[in-house]
Amino acid sequence: MDSSRGAIRFLVHRRVLLLLLLVASSSLVGTSRGREAQPLPVAAAATVLGSRRAPERHGLALDFYAKTCPAVDQIVGNVTAARYRDFPAAGPAVLRLFHHDCFVEGCDASVLIAPTADAAARSPPRVERDVEENRNLPQEAFDTVELAKAAVESKCPGIVSCADVLALAARDYVQLAGGPYYAVKKGRKDSKVSLAGKVRGSLPRANSTVDELLRVFAGKGLGAADLVALSGAHTVGFAHCVHVLGRIYDFRGTRRPDPLMDGRLVKALRMSCPSSGGSARVVVPFDVSTPFQFDHAYYGNLQARLGLLASDQALFLDARTRPLVQDLAGNKTRFFQAFVASIDRMGSIRIKKGRKGEVRKVCSQHLLSA
């Protein structure tokens, strides 16, 4: 890590960030957020939002490590709290890492496997981290999981999987950023393989249409409400400029910005993201109103045409998902409940059990090579 320890690893122009915040605050004036409704139970919230529950593939349990590693939540929590204090950008990075893991062959820590040093010489099958969709996953996320796993190994060697450590770390960061605390079910095993060929088509893209998004989510047993609720994770974190250049300079070949993006946001983004010659390290916030706070402002931004990615803004433009966006924009409690229900379903995708999985000692290496 370089420069100040609490700074974001990538470059974010302070002046531009302030301008983005001003754009957001002025655009959201008059945008109806709705009254705070009475909180719904999590199950009821999922029903209201029209979600279809992911099929139960394998049983996970809150007390899975009750006898073998009862303090695992606290051990991981100590690491994530320290990391969040020193490197706050690690928070959204770990949350993104959890999503990329679960959406490719299930929640099995396969995304954590590092390429071997002699990969180029032997040309073995590439691992998930080699694929373009995963190349920009911040190193802070991988480092955080490795540190948490090492702490767990020091107390409970060979017991807790990297997949469970990642799920716990993602939960911790949601809470540390102001979001809800939720109990994490455990019992995942780590995958014995990590194959690059499994990634393509399994992850949403920055310019995905709602049809494409719904298709990807349906393939994981998740519905439209899960799509909208989990997209709310973009209330924190940053995107590289490459993902917004088309929207702010040449929308669909018109050589003009996307007419559905607020013009002031276009201007602010162009200050950080030149059409050519810019730094590949520069990032811009997903949520231009409260970029470091896990809240429901993301949905209000979509209503005000302040969505950063085309795939984000599409959720408000499409008639199938617009009511869900409006519902969550109006009530933070409802968003928290919906998010917790959906990330629980996501965390249960294609769990590895028994001999189909392993418990790695080092998360970046398969057990036999550790």
Side-chain angles (χ1 to χ4, degrees):
M1 293 295 297
D2 56 3
S3 65
S4 61
R5 298 179 65 191
I8 296 173
R9 175 174 178 265
F10 303 103
L11 303 176
V12 182
H13 297 292
R14 183 173 299 176
R15 182 178 61 172
V16 174
L17 183 56
L18 289 173
L19 179 57
L20 290 170
L21 294 173
L22 289 172
V23 169
S25 61
S26 61
S27 296
L28 291 172
V29 172
T31 299
S32 175
R33 297 288 181 100
R35 291 186 177 181
E36 293 291 331
Q38 291 299 315
L40 293 174
V42 171
T47 301
V48 169
L49 293 175
S51 176
R52 61 191 183 103
R53 186 171 295 277
E56 292 291 338
R57 298 170 180 81
H58 297 286
L60 298 175
L62 296 175
D63 60 351
F64 188 83
Y65 299 113
K67 295 182 178 179
T68 55
C69 193
V72 61
D73 287 62
Q74 181 180 350
I75 297 170
V76 174
N78 289 339
V79 174
T80 52
R83 291 284 291 176
Y84 186 74
R85 182 181 62 248
D86 294 338
F87 309 110
V94 168
L95 194 55
R96 182 182 174 203
L97 187 62
F98 186 43
H99 166 235
H100 279 232
D101 183 44
C102 290
F103 266 52
V104 180
E105 296 297 291
C107 307
D108 57 8
S110 55
V111 73
L112 302 181
I113 293 296
T116 56
D118 58 350
R122 297 187 180 182
S123 298
R126 297 186 304 161
V127 298
E128 292 177 22
R129 284 171 67 174
D130 284 325
V131 178
E132 181 180 358
E133 290 89 335
N134 288 329
R135 285 176 188 163
N136 283 330
L137 290 172
Q139 186 60 41
E140 289 92 341
F142 296 100
D143 293 344
T144 298
V145 176
E146 291 287 8
L147 287 169
K149 172 63 171 174
V152 172
E153 282 292 302
S154 70
K155 301 294 184 181
C156 315
I159 299 297
V160 181
S161 68
C162 295
D164 279 343
V165 169
L166 176 55
L168 288 167
R171 183 274 311 280
D172 291 344
Y173 278 126
V174 168
Q175 184 191 27
L176 288 165
Y181 175 88
Y182 54 93
V184 174
K185 296 173 184 174
K186 310 168 197 70
R188 304 165 186 81
K189 278 200 171 181
D190 301 324
S191 173
K192 294 182 177 181
V193 296
S194 177
L195 301 175
K198 299 294 185 178
V199 177
R200 195 59 55 99
S202 295
L203 294 167
R205 295 175 292 110
N207 61 348
S208 290
T209 65
V210 172
D211 279 337
E212 292 168 339
L213 292 170
L214 289 173
R215 190 178 309 119
V216 169
F217 273 66
K220 319 301 175 187
L222 303 174
D226 298 304
L227 163 61
V228 175
L230 291 172
S231 294
H234 282 178
T235 186
V236 290
F238 300 82
H240 288 82
C241 284
V242 65
H243 296 304
V244 300
L245 290 179
R247 289 196 76 197
I248 62 178
Y249 289 107
D250 188 22
F251 183 66
R252 296 180 179 175
T254 61
R255 297 186 180 181
R256 295 177 180 274
D258 184 346
L260 295 176
M261 177 181 279
D262 187 288
R264 293 164 297 175
L265 179 57
V266 172
K267 180 179 179 180
L269 290 173
R270 284 181 171 182
M271 292 175 65
S272 280
C273 303
S275 58
S276 61
S279 171
R281 297 176 62 217
V282 173
V283 294
V284 288
F286 284 117
D287 178 349
V288 299
S289 56
T290 56
F292 302 102
Q293 186 73 20
F294 195 97
D295 56 23
H296 65 321
Y298 164 83
Y299 300 103
N301 292 339
L302 300 187
Q303 292 177 310
R305 300 192 300 147
L306 296 174
L308 183 65
L309 304 182
S311 57
D312 288 325
Q313 194 60 57
L315 297 178
F316 182 68
L317 300 176
D318 193 284
R320 292 167 292 182
T321 49
R322 184 186 302 120
L324 307 177
V325 171
Q326 292 170 325
D327 185 53
L328 300 186
N331 190 303
K332 184 169 71 172
T333 298
R334 196 184 302 274
F335 164 52
F336 282 1
Q337 292 170 337
F339 180 83
V340 168
S342 291
I343 201 168
D344 177 70
R345 285 189 283 274
M346 186 185 81
S348 301
I349 296 174
R350 297 192 65 176
I351 300 303
K352 308 298 185 296
K353 302 286 282 187
R355 295 183 179 179
K356 293 184 178 180
E358 62 184 10
V359 176
R360 299 179 205 144
K361 295 180 180 179
V362 178
C363 292
S364 60
Q365 303 174 31
H366 288 302
L367 194 57
L368 293 177
S369 60

